[in-house]
């Protein structure tokens, strides 16, 4: 009697193959999870930066609407929307161009969540005839007129 023994081809994976597959799976999950967390952090930073930029735009508009030079030089506080305030100071410098001034604004922002303050600066060139000293303005006008006359006579 001949008994045939059936040999089955391998029916399954070895322990090494399973371990290797789990390691690859674990690395893939770790990579996807870290990229997801990074994207969430980036979105929250964008929201914070967008809010900061809106607050600065609002403050800038409020400051540039002030026509009195002494009030601008005195600085002050601007109330924002979320019960916050921005403290600001300004420095005004005359330029060699008539009625054009260099306005440097420094903002002091208080972050209540982190208990720290940060400082940001802006520089703008503004055309403000009312900020000019009348004597200096007339002197600059006469100098410019003389300069233009010299150019015409050439």
């Amino acid at each position: 009697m001949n008994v045939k023994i059936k040999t089955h081809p391998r029916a399954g994976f070895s322990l090494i193959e399973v371990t290797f597959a789990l390691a690859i799976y674990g690395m893939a999950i770790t990579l996807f999870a870290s990229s997801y967390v990074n994207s969430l952090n980036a979105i929250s930073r964008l929201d914070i930066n967008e809010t900061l930029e809106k607050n600065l735009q609002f403050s800038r508009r409020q400051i540039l609407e002030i026509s009195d030079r002494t009030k601008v030089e005195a600085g002050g506080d601007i109330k924002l929307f979320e019960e916050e305030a921005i403290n600001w100071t300004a420095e005004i410098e005359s330029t060699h161009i008539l009625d054009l001034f260099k306005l440097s604004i420094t903002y002091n922002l208080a972050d209540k969540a982190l208990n720290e303050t940060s400082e940001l600066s802006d520089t703008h060139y503004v055309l403000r005839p009312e900020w000019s000293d009348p004597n200096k303005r007339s002197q600059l006008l006469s100098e410019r007129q003389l300069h233009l006359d010299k150019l015409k006579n050439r």
Side-chain angles (χ1 to χ4, degrees):
M1 203 187 239
N2 283 343
V3 179
K4 254 186 171 178
I5 300 176
K6 289 186 178 179
T7 57
H8 296 290
R10 284 182 33 193
F13 298 105
S14 70
L15 184 59
I16 293 175
E17 291 170 333
V18 171
T19 305
F20 188 68
L22 285 175
I24 292 173
Y25 179 75
M27 286 188 294
I29 291 296
T30 303
L31 179 69
F32 291 136
S34 67
S35 65
Y36 178 73
V37 168
N38 287 340
S39 66
L40 288 179
N41 287 338
I43 290 170
S44 70
R45 270 185 264 129
L46 283 175
D47 289 342
I48 290 170
N49 288 341
E50 185 177 324
T51 303
L52 175 65
E53 186 59 36
K54 284 182 181 178
N55 288 339
L56 287 177
Q57 284 177 355
F58 176 75
S59 301
R60 213 176 286 128
R61 241 188 338 262
Q62 295 296 317
I63 294 167
L64 292 175
E65 286 178 2
I66 300 171
S67 61
D68 187 11
R69 180 177 178 155
T70 56
K71 287 182 181 178
V72 173
E73 288 177 323
D77 291 323
I78 296 177
K79 288 237 177 218
L80 300 175
F81 304 110
E82 298 160 358
E83 298 181 14
E84 294 179 8
I86 290 182
N87 179 277
W88 61 276
T89 56
E91 184 179 312
I92 299 173
E93 297 176 35
S94 298
T95 62
H96 66 281
I97 299 173
L98 184 64
D99 299 334
L100 186 68
F101 296 89
K102 180 181 177 183
L103 176 64
S104 301
I105 306 170
T106 303
Y107 305 96
N108 294 314
L109 306 162
D111 191 349
K112 294 178 183 177
L114 300 175
N115 288 332
E116 62 182 34
T117 59
S118 58
E119 188 174 286
L120 298 170
S121 297
D122 265 348
T123 301
H124 304 277
Y125 287 91
V126 293
L127 186 63
R128 296 289 168 94
E130 63 271 11
W131 288 1
S132 295
D133 180 23
N135 295 330
K136 288 183 180 178
R137 188 170 196 273
S138 62
Q139 180 184 356
L140 278 173
L141 278 173
S142 62
E143 287 175 6
R144 289 295 164 200
Q145 187 63 42
L146 286 173
H147 181 69
L148 286 174
D149 289 342
K150 285 180 184 178
L151 289 175
K152 285 181 184 177
N153 292 334
R154 284 188 181 179

